[in-house]
Amino acid sequence: EGEIDDITEIRVDDKVVTFSADIADNTQITVNSSDANFFKNSESLILLEPHYGSDSQSASSLLSTLSSWGSNHRLRGLAYLALRFTWNQDAFNGIPKVQAVVKGKKVVFYNSSLAAQTAAFKTNPAWCLLDYLTNERYGKGLSVSDIDLQSFYDASVIAETQVTPYSGASDINIFDCNAVIDTSRKVIENVRDFLKGCRGYLPYTAGKYKLV
């Protein structure tokens, strides 16, 4: 589910791939010549084209070389990777296993005046939960008018309280959310996972959901 913020690392068969350029939305890149795992015989064995899942994204030009993939196959709102591999018996033992480190979905957040801000990547559990509760595609689909926004803002401030995890360490937020949410599960189950990660409660008071 997009739009995501970034992809910071790609692993193929548990090996980190070094690319010739920064991984960027809708941009084809090859393997760097310094990568001994996936650059063989003066040839890049991997061609990558990531799509970050905006609602306006175009179809993959890499996949459009296939007769089964046309300009209408835009996958709008979905983040995905298009990849083309060149077979090399020294690099691959079979179908490659691909993994990615993702800076996740951009979410709308609110300032102290409770004015909505442009969607951005956030690990604050208050804003991640708010996105899930209001998202009409995969969440509960609540209206913002059903939400006690002040309580969510107050909770977001608490979540960013700085603590020292151990002696000599750098300060960190007291609560962060990096959850992977399975949308085939019941909404209440996913909400409980969000709340457990920040010791939260979600009472329904005076016609609004309030985050404590």
Side-chain angles (χ1 to χ4, degrees):
E1 172 72 22
E3 182 183 359
I4 62 169
D5 184 68
D6 198 11
I7 296 171
T8 60
E9 182 179 281
I10 300 289
R11 288 177 178 262
V12 173
D13 295 334
D14 293 324
K15 303 182 183 75
V16 176
V17 183
T18 303
F19 287 101
S20 56
D22 185 49
I23 300 172
D25 185 31
N26 195 28
T27 302
Q28 292 186 18
I29 54 174
T30 56
V31 177
N32 194 294
S33 60
S34 63
D35 190 322
N37 293 314
F38 303 111
F39 194 94
K40 304 283 189 181
N41 302 320
S42 301
E43 181 183 17
S44 168
L45 303 182
I46 303 171
L47 179 60
L48 169 70
E49 184 188 88
H51 291 264
Y52 286 4
S54 72
D55 286 345
S56 60
Q57 71 184 5
S58 57
S60 165
S61 58
L62 175 58
L63 297 180
S64 293
T65 59
L66 304 171
S67 59
S68 58
W69 198 275
S71 59
N72 289 329
H73 294 108
R74 298 170 62 181
L75 301 187
R76 288 177 289 181
L78 292 176
Y80 69 98
L81 299 174
L83 299 116
R84 187 175 73 199
F85 294 92
T86 300
W87 172 252
N88 182 289
Q89 62 183 5
D90 296 324
F92 308 114
N93 295 318
I95 296 175
K97 181 182 72 172
V98 180
Q99 297 168 298
V101 177
V102 178
K103 291 180 69 175
K105 185 180 183 296
K106 293 181 178 181
V107 298
V108 173
F109 61 104
Y110 290 77
N111 63 15
S112 59
S113 300
L114 304 185
Q117 306 298 293
T118 303
F121 173 68
K122 294 288 182 181
T123 60
N124 192 302
W127 304 133
C128 294
L129 175 58
L130 180 63
D131 175 79
Y132 184 68
L133 290 174
T134 57
N135 194 288
E136 296 179 352
R137 288 180 180 169
Y138 63 83
K140 179 63 176 172
L142 295 175
S143 169
V144 173
S145 62
D146 296 323
I147 304 293
D148 182 339
L149 286 177
Q150 185 64 56
S151 73
F152 275 75
Y153 175 79
D154 293 343
S156 75
V157 173
I158 293 172
E160 294 179 0
T161 301
Q162 295 296 287
V163 295
T164 305
Y166 56 88
S167 178
S170 299
D171 287 351
I172 60 173
N173 295 333
I174 193 169
F175 295 123
D176 274 314
C177 177
N178 291 287
V180 177
I181 297 301
D182 181 353
T183 56
S184 68
R185 299 171 70 208
K186 294 180 179 179
V187 169
I188 187 62
E189 293 175 350
N190 285 332
V191 169
R192 285 171 180 159
D193 282 349
F194 278 114
L195 294 173
K196 283 189 294 185
C198 63
R199 299 180 184 176
Y201 298 91
L202 193 69
Y204 186 70
T205 306
K208 293 180 182 289
Y209 289 94
K210 182 177 181 179
L211 179 58
V212 180

